[in-house]
């Protein structure tokens, strides 16, 4: 055994963790689109991560140069893990048939690139807002926060904040559309 096998293995593990961390949300969104609840998705995402690590040697041998390939590869594994979870839950009448899951998975895989581009556009456009503007926009999507609570905190009228929120949303929509068109032109 070579002296640097331990450091090579550690680097291999670090590469895997970096890829998984970078693409965890994309994998999680994919799994969530296939399963009926968050708890099931959490279980399948965890099983997927373990299976990806077990098979990572086969992935790194051919596809390390394109990180999007990692997401696609992990989502294929996630699809099988989701199907396995559904088979295990087969007694529940509210579970989708396997053919429905296959159709959902195929559709979700084909939309991965578009969703990632949309996520980047939203993140980029949100980053252009001031902290106060970003807080206001995100308040309606954050548990425990609301426009009314921000109005109370800042002493502003809620109606005025709603107007600002509407203006910011319109601005964000334009920014996101512009970013997506720009990305589409540049491939």
């Amino acid at each position: 055994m070579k002296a640097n096998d331990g450091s090579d293995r550690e680097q291999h593990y670090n590469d895997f963790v970096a890829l998984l961390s970078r693409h965890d949300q994309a994998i999680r969104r994919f799994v969530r689109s296939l399963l009926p609840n968050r708890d099931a998705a959490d279980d399948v995402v965890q099983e997927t991560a373990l299976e990806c690590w077990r098979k990572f040697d086969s992935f790194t041998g051919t596809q390390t140069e394109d990180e999007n390939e990692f997401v696609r590869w992990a989502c294929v594994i996630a699809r099988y893990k989701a199907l396995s979870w559904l088979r295990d839950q087969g007694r529940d009448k509210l579970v989708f048939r396997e053919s429905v899951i296959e159709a959902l998975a195929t559709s979700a895989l084909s939309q991965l690139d578009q969703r990632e581009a949309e996520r980047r556009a939203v993140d980029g456009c949100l980053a252009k807002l001031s902290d106060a503007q970003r807080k206001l926009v995100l308040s309606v999507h954050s548990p425990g926060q609301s426009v009314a609570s921000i109005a109370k905190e800042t002493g502003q009228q809620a109606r005025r904040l709603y107007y600002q929120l509407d203006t910011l949303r319109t601005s964000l929509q334009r920014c996101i559309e512009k970013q997506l068109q720009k990305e589409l032109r540049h491939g």
Side-chain angles (χ1 to χ4, degrees):
M1 189 175 257
K2 294 179 184 175
N4 64 354
D5 279 350
S7 65
D8 288 348
R9 189 72 183 156
E10 185 176 329
Q11 182 59 44
H12 189 63
Y13 178 76
N14 289 340
D15 291 344
F16 172 75
V17 170
L19 281 169
L20 187 63
S21 298
R22 200 168 19 254
H23 301 291
D24 177 67
Q25 290 303 312
I27 296 166
R28 185 170 297 279
R29 282 191 300 271
F30 173 77
V31 170
R32 188 67 181 100
S33 73
L34 302 178
L35 297 174
N37 64 59
R38 189 175 304 270
D39 290 337
D42 287 345
D43 290 346
V44 169
V45 167
Q46 186 175 13
E47 288 179 26
T48 299
L50 290 172
E51 190 67 23
C52 285
W53 171 240
R54 284 186 205 108
K55 295 182 176 184
F56 191 56
D57 284 339
S58 66
F59 172 76
T60 58
T62 59
Q63 302 163 331
T64 54
E65 295 190 11
D66 184 358
E67 289 189 5
N68 288 333
E69 285 301 314
F70 178 79
V71 175
R72 293 186 181 286
W73 176 74
C75 286
V76 168
I77 290 171
R79 177 174 56 186
Y80 288 109
K81 289 294 179 187
L83 287 170
S84 175
W85 183 89
L86 288 168
R87 272 191 294 274
D88 292 346
Q89 302 298 315
R91 289 168 277 148
D92 189 344
K93 293 180 181 178
L94 299 176
V95 174
F96 291 131
R97 278 192 246 153
E98 205 169 303
S99 61
V100 173
I101 294 299
E102 286 288 344
L104 288 172
T106 301
S107 173
L109 275 175
S110 70
Q111 297 173 3
L112 272 177
D113 292 339
Q114 178 63 28
R115 288 186 180 175
E116 183 59 22
E118 291 169 356
R119 188 198 58 76
R120 282 193 309 267
V122 169
D123 286 349
C125 292
L126 280 172
K128 293 177 182 177
L129 299 177
S130 70
D131 289 342
Q133 290 173 324
R134 195 171 29 257
K135 183 178 179 181
L136 179 61
V137 168
L138 296 176
S139 68
V140 293
H141 303 287
S142 302
Q145 285 195 351
S146 66
V147 173
S149 67
I150 292 174
K152 193 174 182 178
E153 283 176 24
T154 60
Q156 297 184 44
Q157 292 181 345
R159 185 173 26 163
R160 182 170 182 213
L161 289 178
Y162 279 113
Y163 176 77
Q164 287 178 349
L165 180 61
D166 188 49
T167 303
L168 288 170
R169 284 178 166 168
T170 301
S171 174
L172 274 173
Q173 181 68 32
R174 287 188 190 127
C175 177
I176 291 165
E177 288 171 1
K178 189 175 174 182
Q179 290 292 323
L180 290 173
Q181 288 173 356
K182 190 175 176 181
E183 191 165 312
L184 188 63
R185 280 192 300 261
H186 298 301

